[in-house]
Amino acid sequence: MTRFTKKIHGCTQAAAFMPAAILLTALALAGCAGGEAKSKPARISASSISVPDAVQETPLSRALLAEINSRRPDAPLTADSVLSRAAAAHSKDMAARGYLNHHSPEGYGPLERVRAANPEFEGRVGENLGEFEFKPGDSDAQKAEYMVDKWMNSPNHAMHLRARNYTRTGIGLAQSGGKTYVTQLFTGP
């Protein structure tokens, strides 16, 4: 069964209250461009970013969450509808416009997308991205295992998947031209 990934990307968008030194360290470790600390991030209205009102779970998103939780049995993540909506919007946008980045071409990042889904959101947000291609006939469980294996072999992705301060997650998937675009958002209390 030949499977391969073209790209994976992991980064943390820190909360406004996180000290700048920690934010800069997180960005340097994640290898991300942009993403600066702001004393109070601007509120993004729902009209600025298109976020669906609801997202239907898919067998692949359920398999991916199950695979992730099988690797952190002492601290499983729970699905969060706000994060799922923001993640789905980003995956759909990346698939439609053919890019893989934590920020849209307009500059909106993970925190802005979550706030577009819920303007009252406060806290930190982590994000893993991936662009995967699979052999026809791979089961959802096989695809999920492969994606998590790739993420676990990347220090930045593994950091998010293992972080116990993240307790909720949202997974968004989109397909285009045989590629599966995956966005996974994380947050905690």
Side-chain angles (χ1 to χ4, degrees):
M1 191 171 304
T2 304
R3 291 176 277 177
F4 62 95
T5 181
K6 292 189 101 171
K7 302 175 188 174
I8 57 175
H9 208 280
C11 179
T12 298
Q13 171 83 28
F17 57 83
M18 184 176 278
I22 294 172
L23 173 62
L24 293 176
T25 301
L27 290 173
L29 290 173
C32 295
E36 59 192 48
K38 298 178 183 177
S39 59
K40 182 77 172 166
R43 295 288 183 185
I44 304 297
S45 70
S47 63
S48 299
I49 302 173
S50 178
V51 176
D53 291 332
V55 175
Q56 185 73 26
E57 276 190 351
T58 67
L60 181 54
S61 67
R62 285 191 293 273
L64 186 53
L65 181 57
E67 181 64 30
I68 291 164
N69 281 338
S70 75
R71 299 186 192 207
R72 48 180 290 157
D74 58 328
L77 295 166
T78 57
D80 181 287
S81 64
V82 169
L83 296 179
S84 294
R85 289 172 40 223
H90 192 54
S91 288
K92 182 178 176 182
D93 186 50
M94 289 189 300
R97 299 200 283 173
Y99 71 95
L100 183 71
N101 198 304
H102 293 285
H103 291 83
S104 69
E106 295 77 26
Y108 297 126
L111 189 56
E112 288 88 5
R113 290 191 306 276
V114 172
R115 285 191 173 146
N118 176 7
E120 302 305 314
F121 178 85
E122 294 292 333
R124 67 188 171 282
V125 174
E127 180 175 74
N128 281 348
L129 300 177
E131 178 187 281
F132 300 94
E133 293 183 48
F134 302 101
K135 182 177 179 183
D138 284 352
S139 71
D140 290 328
Q142 290 168 318
K143 292 174 185 178
E145 180 180 11
Y146 179 72
M147 288 186 281
V148 175
D149 283 346
K150 290 297 181 187
W151 281 341
M152 292 302 283
N153 286 320
S154 164
N156 297 325
H157 291 92
M159 175 182 68
H160 288 138
L161 293 172
R162 291 183 180 127
R164 296 304 188 244
N165 58 327
Y166 291 140
T167 57
R168 299 186 321 272
T169 192
I171 297 170
L173 305 164
Q175 301 216 317
S176 178
K179 298 175 186 175
T180 301
Y181 291 82
V182 182
T183 303
Q184 183 177 21
L185 291 166
F186 304 86
T187 194

